[in-house]
Amino acid sequence: MAKHSSDEVFDETNNEDSGVTATLCNWIVGLEKKDIPDEVLERAKHLILDGIACGLVGSHVPWSEQAVDGILSYEPEGQCSLIGYEEKLGPLAAATLNGGFIQATELDDYHSVAPLHSASVVLGSLFAAAQVKNVKVRGFAFNGQSHEVLEPGRTVSGIDFLIAAIAGFETGPRSGMAIHGTDLLVRGWHSGVVFGCPAAAAASSKLLGLSAANTESAIGIACTQACGLMAAQFEGMVKRMQHGIAARNGLFGALLARNGYVGIKKVYERKYGGYLNMFSQGNTKTPRYDVREVVAGLGDVWHTSRIRFKLHACVGGCHGLVEAVESLQESYPQRFSGEAFSNIKSIKVGLSETIFHHDGWAPHERPLSNTGSQMCAAYISATQLVDSQVLIAQFADSQLNRDQVWELVNKTTCHHDAQFDKPNHQCGAHVVVEFDDGTTVEETVQMPKGFDPPITNEEIRGKYRKLAASVIDQERIEKIEKLVLGIDQLEDVSELLQVLAKPTKSAV
């Protein structure tokens, strides 16, 4: 597979005739196992394993169960399975729910430069795409009369599934980096949902065996549906579902394009109504977008290896904050014990511009919702102080109105600290705590754990086992891990999907 250099191919930043969308689609269609380094293949397996762990835990939290109840009330039975449920639904509904399950507890992966939760959009779409069978494909007889052909059921191999996942893992961050990644969060867009639509379309198109032209249509159909409002992080449940909606949108594009339905062409490079031009409206960058980023380093630079793994059950941008507070607790145990919290006068938190806008807001109600509490820097900091951990249990309904936590929340203010605006530092934090006796202590974390060096595959497996043990039995834990880590040898991926579809218990 030939590698592409954006500097060799494109001489203008945003040339409408650059062929960027077509170049990406040709690369997706031609991608083979031999083109992918072994370490990238292995990392992709662990991304899938981590996503499954999050989906198993997230499938039966209250907001996921409520979503399932709502969708089952109007959706007919289908052929696609759900993580943790015996019921089956049509592909679009299944993609929405499975993607939502993976994102349901804020424990899933994220890309730090072009923020999106890759497993939720990619696996959400692929689990459904792998089970789409007996599809009616429109064709034409020799006399010009249209007819429909019922395509027989098919078997999806594990290696095909893995390569399709990598196509999605690569497409999402590239789509985001072309419009300055984190800038969408500053302006109130839910960036991962915007970047997730073409990622899901790329993955689904690859798995369904679409041509380059049809893949371009699929991505165009996905991009015209792209949206996501970050106001979803405050009161409601829908923030959990939005990456699932992106998974649905990408799969929808691929299924339509599979039947020859023509989508937007040149969707990345079009200036009037194009994806990059429209979603960059209102930013202050120069240039506002750079279409070359979509294909920069294809076949050489692998974003699959740059996706981050979460160790705390909160928004990724606050992981540096959690670790700064944790460091202060370890350094000054007497000052940060429960009895001494009343002696804290103020807590000042410095965050990057992106994370300050996203998570530095002052709580406007008490208690916060489950979602809002995981997106509020002041609440996350207070939770770490009180519980010495930020895990799923900290955000259960019974924990959201504790006086001790709220006394610390009310002493906390956040501000923009420009030192964290550098690439890969945007999830860092500077914490200053002042006490009644005039003493001040502070801590800075430039990059949370797992940035440089990244979290190891062994640590990811440990996270999977810990999360899975809270909702399923040991035999099933071991079987899923064996199937995923050996997925490139798996003849039929439905074997994995069947194990995932068995009921699970609630983790909350």
Side-chain angles (χ1 to χ4, degrees):
M1 182 71 191
K3 297 179 181 180
H4 300 272
S5 168
S6 58
D7 292 331
E8 294 172 0
V9 180
F10 311 114
D11 57 2
E12 289 184 47
T13 300
N14 295 313
N15 180 358
E16 195 171 80
D17 296 320
S18 62
V20 164
T21 307
T23 297
L24 175 66
C25 293
N26 283 319
W27 180 81
I28 291 168
V29 170
L31 185 63
E32 299 178 13
K33 181 181 180 181
K34 65 181 178 60
D35 304 316
I36 306 169
D38 290 343
E39 63 270 18
V40 176
L41 289 165
E42 196 64 25
R43 195 65 164 181
K45 294 177 187 178
H46 284 80
L47 272 167
I48 294 169
L49 187 68
D50 187 74
I52 285 172
C54 296
L56 289 168
V57 170
S59 63
H60 281 280
V61 292
W63 43 95
S64 291
E65 290 183 340
Q66 194 156 353
V68 172
D69 289 345
I71 290 177
L72 287 177
S73 71
Y74 66 82
E75 278 285 340
E77 183 179 357
Q79 56 199 333
C80 299
S81 59
L82 303 176
I83 300 171
Y85 290 85
E86 294 178 340
E87 292 86 352
K88 291 187 175 183
L89 291 168
L92 300 184
T96 306
L97 286 172
N98 282 330
F101 295 163
I102 293 170
Q103 228 277 293
T105 60
E106 298 300 329
L107 276 165
D108 53 330
D109 64 78
Y110 65 107
H111 192 285
S112 58
V113 178
L116 80 157
H117 302 287
S118 294
S120 58
V121 294
V122 170
L123 298 185
S125 59
L126 287 184
F127 287 162
Q131 295 178 297
V132 172
K133 301 181 187 296
N134 299 325
V135 178
K136 288 183 178 180
V137 180
R138 186 174 296 279
F140 294 90
F142 68 91
N143 60 2
Q145 297 297 312
S146 64
H147 68 283
E148 290 183 338
V149 177
L150 194 62
E151 190 177 89
R154 62 200 173 91
T155 297
V156 174
S157 70
I159 188 58
D160 286 346
F161 187 96
L162 182 61
I163 294 170
I166 291 172
F169 294 153
E170 294 298 314
T171 299
R174 294 173 181 280
S175 303
M177 292 181 72
I179 41 179
H180 302 286
T182 58
D183 182 74
L184 260 67
L185 282 173
V186 173
R187 293 185 287 122
W189 291 107
H190 193 175
S191 59
V193 183
V194 176
F195 310 153
C197 290
S204 300
S205 297
K206 181 65 174 175
L207 194 70
L208 293 171
L210 269 59
S211 67
N214 286 344
T215 298
E216 185 168 356
S217 283
I219 290 176
I221 295 166
C223 285
T224 200
Q225 302 174 83
C227 183
L229 301 177
M230 206 58 252
Q233 72 181 23
F234 297 115
E235 299 89 359
M237 298 178 178
V238 73
K239 194 270 179 188
R240 318 290 195 177
M241 185 66 71
Q242 288 182 164
H243 276 74
I245 292 170
R248 178 200 69 190
N249 293 346
L251 178 61
F252 180 59
L255 292 175
L256 277 180
R258 187 188 195 197
N259 198 47
Y261 192 88
V262 180
I264 297 172
K265 298 297 184 177
K266 299 183 180 181
V267 72
Y268 286 114
E269 56 265 46
R270 285 291 187 198
K271 293 182 179 178
Y272 180 74
Y275 174 83
L276 300 180
N277 188 29
M278 297 312 297
F279 278 109
S280 64
Q281 296 286 331
N283 78 24
T284 58
K285 310 292 185 180
T286 303
R288 286 191 292 108
Y289 65 97
D290 187 345
V291 68
R292 298 171 299 178
E293 287 288 347
V294 175
V295 294
L298 276 177
D300 184 25
V301 176
W302 294 93
H303 285 277
T304 301
S305 299
R306 299 181 176 187
I307 295 170
R308 314 298 188 187
F309 292 81
K310 287 188 177 183
L311 298 176
H312 313 290
C314 65
V315 59
C318 285
H319 283 209
L321 168 59
V322 172
E323 291 168 19
V325 172
E326 182 180 39
S327 179
L328 288 172
Q329 290 173 301
E330 292 172 354
S331 299
Y332 308 98
Q334 292 183 335
R335 286 193 175 273
F336 289 101
S337 64
E339 299 78 13
F341 287 148
S342 61
N343 298 326
I344 294 176
K345 182 179 180 180
S346 68
I347 303 170
K348 294 181 172 62
V349 177
L351 302 166
S352 68
E353 181 185 21
T354 299
I355 302 307
F356 173 63
H357 284 280
H358 185 7
D359 311 305
W361 46 278
H364 49 277
E365 62 181 1
R366 174 182 175 181
L368 293 172
S369 67
N370 305 95
T371 306
S373 61
Q374 290 177 291
M375 300 285 141
C376 177
Y379 190 91
I380 292 165
S381 172
T383 297
Q384 173 62 34
L385 283 169
V386 172
D387 294 339
S388 296
Q389 63 182 16
V390 179
L391 300 175
I392 300 173
Q394 273 65 58
F395 302 100
D397 288 341
S398 62
Q399 303 299 300
L400 298 179
N401 202 26
R402 291 178 288 169
D403 289 338
Q404 192 176 37
V405 170
W406 279 94
E407 286 169 5
L408 292 168
V409 169
N410 293 331
K411 294 178 180 180
T412 304
T413 55
C414 300
H415 61 274
H416 173 212
D417 189 332
Q419 70 173 304
F420 302 114
D421 291 341
K422 298 178 292 185
N424 290 315
H425 288 70
Q426 291 172 324
C427 299
H430 178 224
V431 179
V432 179
V433 181
E434 183 180 359
F435 296 89
D436 289 336
D437 64 5
T439 302
T440 298
V441 298
E442 59 186 287
E443 183 62 80
T444 300
V445 170
Q446 292 288 341
M447 295 185 289
K449 295 172 185 174
F451 272 65
D452 187 17
I455 290 172
T456 66
N457 289 341
E458 183 179 2
E459 289 173 309
I460 296 166
R461 294 193 296 273
K463 176 187 171 184
Y464 160 76
R465 294 164 189 163
K466 183 176 180 179
L467 289 178
S470 68
V471 292
I472 62 175
D473 61 59
Q474 187 61 33
E475 181 180 359
R476 191 171 165 196
I477 291 170
E478 292 174 2
K479 185 170 185 179
I480 291 170
E481 182 174 340
K482 182 178 180 180
L483 289 170
V484 172
L485 297 185
I487 197 168
D488 51 339
Q489 305 300 319
L490 196 59
E491 293 184 0
D492 188 348
V493 78
S494 64
E495 184 178 352
L496 171 62
L497 300 180
Q498 289 169 5
V499 180
L500 296 181
K502 295 179 180 179
T504 65
K505 62 183 180 180
S506 176
V508 179

